[in-house]
Amino acid sequence: GEDVEQSLFLSVREGDSSVINCTYTDSSSTYLYWYKQEPGAGLQLLTYIFSNMDMKQDQRLTVLLNKKDKHLSLRIADTQTGDSAIYFCAENQGTALIFGKGTTLSVSS
Amino acid sequence: GAVVSQHPSRVICKSGTSVKIECRSLDFQATTMFWYRQFPKKSLMLMATSNEGSKATYEQGVEKDKFLINHASLTLSTLTVTSAHPEDSSFYICSARGGTNYEQYFGPGTRLTVT
């Protein structure tokens, strides 16, 4: 199976909160990441969390890490139409990053 | 964050020809660069890792003679797709890592179409 798993789609209304979930398999991963990809573009690093942290907040973004269950989530508060994109979670294995397949977030007004 | 550029952004070539894609770190020195391939509706697949001045390390299943990687300086890595075939058509993305161990910055990607 995949090393990193995510649900493929999420649809929310503008102003609501979005929660994107991810599970990973490598318990030795030091960092876990969230990247955003807009159509036809590369990946933009949104945020990352060190494996010994439970939570990290950065403006509208909140990352929660449950290391016991190998579960990572990204919460976007007050979701805007500009947040529509594909969101990838990733874990590091050594120097390389292993990505999930991405969650397509669709925000309707 | 740091800026990574790729050139060209889009290329169409004929089967059998070779195509070179450049990846540059514009405002930092990239000790390590990575090349990924992204298939439609699929995740990114790591192809190879390159450190400046040394040979690239290829992932299992990636043909090193077909995908030539050169990391000649701390700001430039190139990927050459040799004898391209239509199945090589894809979105190729590079990333670069500087002094920190945890931040990896991605280029905007290159869309390759082989006819």
Side-chain angles (χ1 to χ4, degrees):
Chain A
E2 295 290 334
D3 290 341
V4 181
E5 294 191 0
Q6 303 177 235
S7 54
L8 295 182
F9 298 100
L10 177 65
S11 182
V12 300
R13 286 191 171 181
E14 194 173 20
D16 289 349
S17 291
S18 306
V19 179
I20 303 172
N21 295 301
C22 170
T23 56
Y24 61 98
T25 57
D26 188 351
S27 59
S28 66
S29 293
T30 312
Y31 293 93
L32 295 133
Y33 305 79
W34 284 104
Y35 282 87
K36 176 183 180 183
Q37 186 180 33
E38 295 184 7
L43 274 72
Q44 173 195 356
L45 176 62
L46 282 180
T47 188
Y48 60 90
I49 187 167
F50 190 45
S51 60
N52 69 352
M53 298 167 67
D54 298 324
M55 188 268 280
K56 180 179 179 182
Q57 186 164 4
D58 184 2
Q59 299 182 334
R60 294 191 295 122
L61 305 178
T62 303
V63 179
L64 295 179
L65 175 61
N66 180 328
K67 199 172 179 184
K68 175 176 170 289
D69 295 337
K70 298 190 186 71
H71 183 264
L72 182 74
S73 69
L74 173 70
R75 178 177 181 269
I76 305 173
D78 187 25
T79 311
Q80 302 298 306
T81 54
D83 295 324
S84 294
I86 302 176
Y87 291 80
F88 291 92
C89 68
E91 60 176 344
N92 75 290
Q93 288 185 3
T95 58
L97 294 183
I98 306 301
F99 288 84
K101 289 188 177 181
T103 298
T104 299
L105 174 64
S106 175
V107 183
S108 57
S109 55
Chain B
V3 179
V4 176
S5 71
Q6 276 184 245
H7 176 80
S9 58
R10 198 174 194 95
V11 58
I12 301 172
C13 70
K14 292 186 176 179
S15 286
T17 60
S18 295
V19 174
K20 181 185 283 188
I21 303 170
E22 292 186 349
C23 176
R24 292 182 186 272
S25 55
L26 298 185
D27 52 1
F28 67 102
Q29 292 188 324
T31 50
T32 307
M33 286 185 166
F34 305 85
W35 286 96
Y36 294 84
R37 182 173 176 178
Q38 187 176 31
F39 297 92
K41 298 182 181 179
K42 289 283 188 180
S43 182
L44 280 77
M45 180 192 80
L46 177 65
M47 298 174 67
T49 303
S50 74
N51 292 294
E52 184 264 339
S54 61
K55 287 185 179 179
T57 302
Y58 289 80
E59 295 298 303
Q60 193 173 8
V62 178
E63 298 175 60
K64 62 178 70 174
D65 294 331
K66 179 168 184 61
F67 298 99
L68 301 178
I69 292 171
N70 184 283
H71 190 164
S73 76
L74 284 171
T75 59
L76 173 65
S77 176
T78 61
L79 166 68
T80 302
V81 182
T82 63
S83 188
H85 287 279
E87 56 263 32
D88 298 326
S89 299
S90 193
F91 195 54
Y92 291 88
I93 306 178
C94 72
S95 70
R97 194 182 68 177
T100 66
N101 288 326
Y102 50 85
E103 292 190 358
Q104 198 173 123
Y105 297 96
F106 284 77
T110 297
R111 171 72 59 192
L112 171 63
T113 303
V114 185
T115 60

